[in-house]
Amino acid sequence: MSGWDDKPQIIGFRQQKPTVAKGSALNAAQRQGLVVSTESKGAGQVKGPADHQRIAKLDRDDAPKPPEKVGQEVGKAVATARMAIKNAEGKSMTQKELATSINAKPTDITDLEAGRAVPDQQLLSKLERKLGVKLRGAKNLIGTPLHPKKK
């Protein structure tokens, strides 16, 4: 008795089971058109313990580094140059006034003076022109006049 779920049998056809063959037996089986499996068991496994030191070193090296901040000397140079600029009433320029004069946010100036800001070359160049002091380059030149007077 046959059920609906049974596989249909084709008369005169025997299903071949795959066999693992190596070398010349593999070539002969392929020539005859037989079903051949060429997988080797356990070839992809590495024996021995994992190299934990190497893996730990890779983990340490791949960690993203935080962006560098501007130095304290840049913040001090901005603050002293800003304080040196006086308005008509004799008061020194505020951070907000400096920010609006160079089209920047007041928080940018605050962060720059505190040494928390990421170096922004466009902002630093605007500040250099407005304040008249060098803010980029060698550390010993930061805070010096942008255009020193010639002798």
Side-chain angles (χ1 to χ4, degrees):
M1 211 158 126
S2 157
W4 286 101
D5 294 331
D6 293 340
K7 283 186 175 180
Q9 265 191 336
I10 301 172
I11 300 173
F13 178 77
R14 281 189 342 193
Q15 185 175 3
Q16 297 175 346
K17 294 183 180 174
T19 59
V20 177
K22 292 182 182 176
S24 62
L26 173 66
N27 292 337
Q30 285 177 340
R31 279 192 295 265
Q32 292 178 2
L34 299 175
V35 178
V36 179
S37 172
T38 59
E39 61 189 80
S40 59
K41 297 180 181 175
Q45 297 175 355
V46 176
K47 293 188 166 92
D51 188 6
H52 295 292
Q53 289 178 342
R54 183 181 57 82
I55 294 170
K57 183 179 177 189
L58 282 174
D59 285 344
R60 283 193 306 270
D61 288 347
D62 290 346
K65 293 175 177 50
E68 297 198 14
K69 308 288 185 198
V70 294
Q72 289 288 336
E73 60 274 355
V74 174
K76 288 179 184 175
V78 170
T80 54
R82 178 179 57 82
M83 295 291 191
I85 298 175
K86 307 285 184 191
N87 62 7
E89 299 155 4
K91 294 182 179 179
S92 60
M93 181 183 270
T94 64
Q95 289 178 346
K96 183 177 180 182
E97 290 170 344
L98 178 61
T100 54
S101 68
I102 62 167
N103 292 330
K105 298 178 196 165
T107 55
D108 292 342
I109 306 299
T110 305
D111 290 343
L112 194 67
E113 287 187 7
R116 294 186 303 254
V118 175
D120 180 6
Q121 297 302 319
Q122 187 177 12
L123 177 67
L124 289 174
S125 69
K126 286 180 180 179
L127 282 170
E128 279 180 339
R129 286 193 303 265
K130 179 67 180 176
L131 299 173
V133 294
K134 289 187 182 182
L135 300 175
R136 300 176 289 178
K139 290 189 180 207
N140 59 349
L141 296 177
I142 292 177
T144 60
L146 190 60
H147 303 290
K149 296 185 180 187
K150 296 183 181 178
K151 295 179 182 178

